[in-house]
mmCIF file of all heavy atoms in Angstrom:
data_model
loop_
_atom_site.group_PDB
_atom_site.id
_atom_site.type_symbol
_atom_site.label_atom_id
_atom_site.label_comp_id
_atom_site.label_asym_id
_atom_site.label_seq_id
_atom_site.Cartn_x
_atom_site.Cartn_y
_atom_site.Cartn_z
ATOM 1 N N PHE A 20 -26.572 56.831 60.899
ATOM 2 C CA PHE A 20 -26.974 57.329 59.598
ATOM 3 C C PHE A 20 -27.513 58.745 59.665
ATOM 4 O O PHE A 20 -27.255 59.580 58.767
ATOM 5 C CB PHE A 20 -27.990 56.438 58.914
ATOM 6 C CG PHE A 20 -27.401 55.142 58.430
ATOM 7 C CD1 PHE A 20 -27.835 53.953 58.954
ATOM 8 C CD2 PHE A 20 -26.398 55.172 57.454
ATOM 9 C CE1 PHE A 20 -27.342 52.731 58.468
ATOM 10 C CE2 PHE A 20 -25.884 53.949 57.002
ATOM 11 C CZ PHE A 20 -26.329 52.722 57.517
ATOM 12 N N LEU A 21 -28.192 59.102 60.763
ATOM 13 C CA LEU A 21 -28.680 60.478 60.955
ATOM 14 C C LEU A 21 -27.479 61.396 61.046
ATOM 15 O O LEU A 21 -27.490 62.433 60.397
ATOM 16 C CB LEU A 21 -29.585 60.560 62.152
ATOM 17 C CG LEU A 21 -29.960 61.929 62.649
ATOM 18 C CD1 LEU A 21 -30.851 62.596 61.591
ATOM 19 C CD2 LEU A 21 -30.688 61.852 63.960
ATOM 20 N N HIS A 22 -26.479 61.022 61.828
ATOM 21 C CA HIS A 22 -25.326 61.865 62.057
ATOM 22 C C HIS A 22 -24.565 62.133 60.734
ATOM 23 O O HIS A 22 -24.097 63.221 60.460
ATOM 24 C CB HIS A 22 -24.384 61.195 63.099
ATOM 25 C CG HIS A 22 -23.149 61.978 63.353
ATOM 26 N ND1 HIS A 22 -23.105 63.149 64.054
ATOM 27 C CD2 HIS A 22 -21.863 61.744 62.908
ATOM 28 C CE1 HIS A 22 -21.849 63.638 64.117
ATOM 29 N NE2 HIS A 22 -21.122 62.793 63.424
ATOM 30 N N LEU A 23 -24.535 61.122 59.908
ATOM 31 C CA LEU A 23 -23.835 61.256 58.634
ATOM 32 C C LEU A 23 -24.740 61.871 57.535
ATOM 33 O O LEU A 23 -24.291 62.210 56.456
ATOM 34 C CB LEU A 23 -23.431 59.853 58.092
ATOM 35 C CG LEU A 23 -22.334 59.120 58.860
ATOM 36 C CD1 LEU A 23 -22.147 57.769 58.220
ATOM 37 C CD2 LEU A 23 -21.087 59.876 58.848
ATOM 38 N N ASN A 24 -26.011 62.101 57.875
ATOM 39 C CA ASN A 24 -26.995 62.645 56.997
ATOM 40 C C ASN A 24 -27.065 61.712 55.744
ATOM 41 O O ASN A 24 -27.201 62.165 54.573
ATOM 42 C CB ASN A 24 -26.727 64.063 56.530
ATOM 43 C CG ASN A 24 -27.942 64.722 55.962
ATOM 44 O OD1 ASN A 24 -29.021 64.330 56.307
ATOM 45 N ND2 ASN A 24 -27.743 65.702 55.113
ATOM 46 N N ASP A 25 -26.967 60.394 55.951
ATOM 47 C CA ASP A 25 -27.045 59.383 54.975
ATOM 48 C C ASP A 25 -28.464 58.880 54.856
ATOM 49 O O ASP A 25 -28.883 57.925 55.460
ATOM 50 C CB ASP A 25 -26.070 58.247 55.313
ATOM 51 C CG ASP A 25 -26.052 57.094 54.272
ATOM 52 O OD1 ASP A 25 -26.903 57.117 53.317
ATOM 53 O OD2 ASP A 25 -25.171 56.253 54.392
ATOM 54 N N VAL A 26 -29.240 59.620 54.047
ATOM 55 C CA VAL A 26 -30.666 59.336 53.913
ATOM 56 C C VAL A 26 -30.899 57.918 53.359
ATOM 57 O O VAL A 26 -31.752 57.174 53.834
ATOM 58 C CB VAL A 26 -31.383 60.411 53.102
ATOM 59 C CG1 VAL A 26 -32.861 60.098 52.892
ATOM 60 C CG2 VAL A 26 -31.183 61.741 53.714
ATOM 61 N N ALA A 27 -30.193 57.596 52.241
ATOM 62 C CA ALA A 27 -30.350 56.282 51.678
ATOM 63 C C ALA A 27 -30.040 55.122 52.614
ATOM 64 O O ALA A 27 -30.783 54.134 52.738
ATOM 65 C CB ALA A 27 -29.487 56.166 50.415
ATOM 66 N N GLY A 28 -28.971 55.277 53.324
ATOM 67 C CA GLY A 28 -28.569 54.288 54.347
ATOM 68 C C GLY A 28 -29.568 54.122 55.422
ATOM 69 O O GLY A 28 -29.913 53.076 55.885
ATOM 70 N N PHE A 29 -30.069 55.370 55.874
ATOM 71 C CA PHE A 29 -31.087 55.331 56.947
ATOM 72 C C PHE A 29 -32.357 54.617 56.488
ATOM 73 O O PHE A 29 -32.890 53.741 57.200
ATOM 74 C CB PHE A 29 -31.479 56.762 57.348
ATOM 75 C CG PHE A 29 -32.348 56.849 58.483
ATOM 76 C CD1 PHE A 29 -31.853 57.015 59.759
ATOM 77 C CD2 PHE A 29 -33.741 56.807 58.390
ATOM 78 C CE1 PHE A 29 -32.724 57.036 60.877
ATOM 79 C CE2 PHE A 29 -34.593 56.829 59.439
ATOM 80 C CZ PHE A 29 -34.069 56.996 60.711
ATOM 81 N N ARG A 30 -32.806 54.988 55.293
ATOM 82 C CA ARG A 30 -34.043 54.309 54.755
ATOM 83 C C ARG A 30 -33.898 52.835 54.599
ATOM 84 O O ARG A 30 -34.806 52.052 54.963
ATOM 85 C CB ARG A 30 -34.460 54.968 53.438
ATOM 86 C CG ARG A 30 -35.041 56.349 53.627
ATOM 87 C CD ARG A 30 -35.519 56.943 52.289
ATOM 88 N NE ARG A 30 -36.059 58.287 52.591
ATOM 89 C CZ ARG A 30 -36.064 59.238 51.714
ATOM 90 N NH1 ARG A 30 -35.480 59.026 50.532
ATOM 91 N NH2 ARG A 30 -36.569 60.398 52.078
ATOM 92 N N GLN A 31 -32.746 52.419 54.093
ATOM 93 C CA GLN A 31 -32.552 50.989 53.926
ATOM 94 C C GLN A 31 -32.558 50.285 55.261
ATOM 95 O O GLN A 31 -33.163 49.227 55.432
ATOM 96 C CB GLN A 31 -31.188 50.811 53.232
ATOM 97 C CG GLN A 31 -30.893 49.278 52.977
ATOM 98 C CD GLN A 31 -29.540 49.123 52.339
ATOM 99 O OE1 GLN A 31 -28.668 50.018 52.365
ATOM 100 N NE2 GLN A 31 -29.311 47.965 51.742
ATOM 101 N N GLN A 32 -31.891 50.868 56.293
ATOM 102 C CA GLN A 32 -31.874 50.300 57.603
ATOM 103 C C GLN A 32 -33.289 50.319 58.209
ATOM 104 O O GLN A 32 -33.669 49.332 58.814
ATOM 105 C CB GLN A 32 -30.921 51.029 58.512
ATOM 106 C CG GLN A 32 -30.720 50.390 59.825
ATOM 107 C CD GLN A 32 -30.041 49.054 59.736
ATOM 108 O OE1 GLN A 32 -29.068 48.808 59.036
ATOM 109 N NE2 GLN A 32 -30.544 48.062 60.397
ATOM 110 N N TRP A 33 -34.042 51.370 57.990
ATOM 111 C CA TRP A 33 -35.360 51.458 58.606
ATOM 112 C C TRP A 33 -36.307 50.372 58.064
ATOM 113 O O TRP A 33 -37.081 49.845 58.721
ATOM 114 C CB TRP A 33 -35.961 52.829 58.361
ATOM 115 C CG TRP A 33 -37.294 53.030 58.943
ATOM 116 C CD1 TRP A 33 -38.510 52.852 58.302
ATOM 117 C CD2 TRP A 33 -37.549 53.431 60.261
ATOM 118 N NE1 TRP A 33 -39.536 53.130 59.160
ATOM 119 C CE2 TRP A 33 -38.977 53.447 60.411
ATOM 120 C CE3 TRP A 33 -36.835 53.734 61.378
ATOM 121 C CZ2 TRP A 33 -39.601 53.760 61.604
ATOM 122 C CZ3 TRP A 33 -37.456 54.036 62.574
ATOM 123 C CH2 TRP A 33 -38.814 54.080 62.701
ATOM 124 N N GLU A 34 -36.111 50.098 56.777
ATOM 125 C CA GLU A 34 -36.967 49.119 56.090
ATOM 126 C C GLU A 34 -36.482 47.678 56.370
ATOM 127 O O GLU A 34 -37.174 46.702 56.005
ATOM 128 C CB GLU A 34 -36.993 49.409 54.585
ATOM 129 C CG GLU A 34 -37.725 50.686 54.296
ATOM 130 C CD GLU A 34 -37.527 51.162 52.847
ATOM 131 O OE1 GLU A 34 -36.891 50.413 52.023
ATOM 132 O OE2 GLU A 34 -37.983 52.272 52.574
ATOM 133 N N SER A 35 -35.342 47.499 56.943
ATOM 134 C CA SER A 35 -34.805 46.145 57.173
ATOM 135 C C SER A 35 -34.277 46.036 58.638
ATOM 136 O O SER A 35 -33.092 45.805 58.877
ATOM 137 C CB SER A 35 -33.598 45.922 56.233
ATOM 138 O OG SER A 35 -33.990 46.059 54.895
ATOM 139 N N PRO A 36 -35.166 46.179 59.634
ATOM 140 C CA PRO A 36 -34.689 45.961 60.977
ATOM 141 C C PRO A 36 -34.276 44.572 61.257
ATOM 142 O O PRO A 36 -34.718 43.683 60.513
ATOM 143 C CB PRO A 36 -35.948 46.378 61.832
ATOM 144 C CG PRO A 36 -37.090 46.129 60.929
ATOM 145 C CD PRO A 36 -36.581 46.370 59.514
ATOM 146 N N PRO A 37 -33.530 44.310 62.259
ATOM 147 C CA PRO A 37 -33.153 42.963 62.671
ATOM 148 C C PRO A 37 -34.401 42.145 62.942
ATOM 149 O O PRO A 37 -35.459 42.634 63.322
ATOM 150 C CB PRO A 37 -32.350 43.089 63.969
ATOM 151 C CG PRO A 37 -31.850 44.539 63.934
ATOM 152 C CD PRO A 37 -32.933 45.326 63.207
ATOM 153 N N GLU A 38 -34.311 40.835 62.733
ATOM 154 C CA GLU A 38 -35.474 39.984 62.947
ATOM 155 C C GLU A 38 -35.993 40.166 64.381
ATOM 156 O O GLU A 38 -35.211 40.123 65.376
ATOM 157 C CB GLU A 38 -35.001 38.475 62.748
ATOM 158 C CG GLU A 38 -36.139 37.531 62.797
ATOM 159 C CD GLU A 38 -35.736 36.112 62.481
ATOM 160 O OE1 GLU A 38 -34.748 35.953 61.710
ATOM 161 O OE2 GLU A 38 -36.341 35.230 63.039
ATOM 162 N N GLY A 39 -37.294 40.305 64.458
ATOM 163 C CA GLY A 39 -37.977 40.441 65.771
ATOM 164 C C GLY A 39 -37.863 41.800 66.359
ATOM 165 O O GLY A 39 -38.277 42.058 67.467
#
Side-chain angles (χ1 to χ4, degrees):
F20 287 120
L21 172 64
H22 179 73
L23 293 178
N24 199 26
D25 181 349
V26 178
F29 186 95
R30 286 184 180 149
Q31 181 181 20
Q32 188 64 47
W33 183 263
E34 293 169 4
S35 304
E38 187 176 330

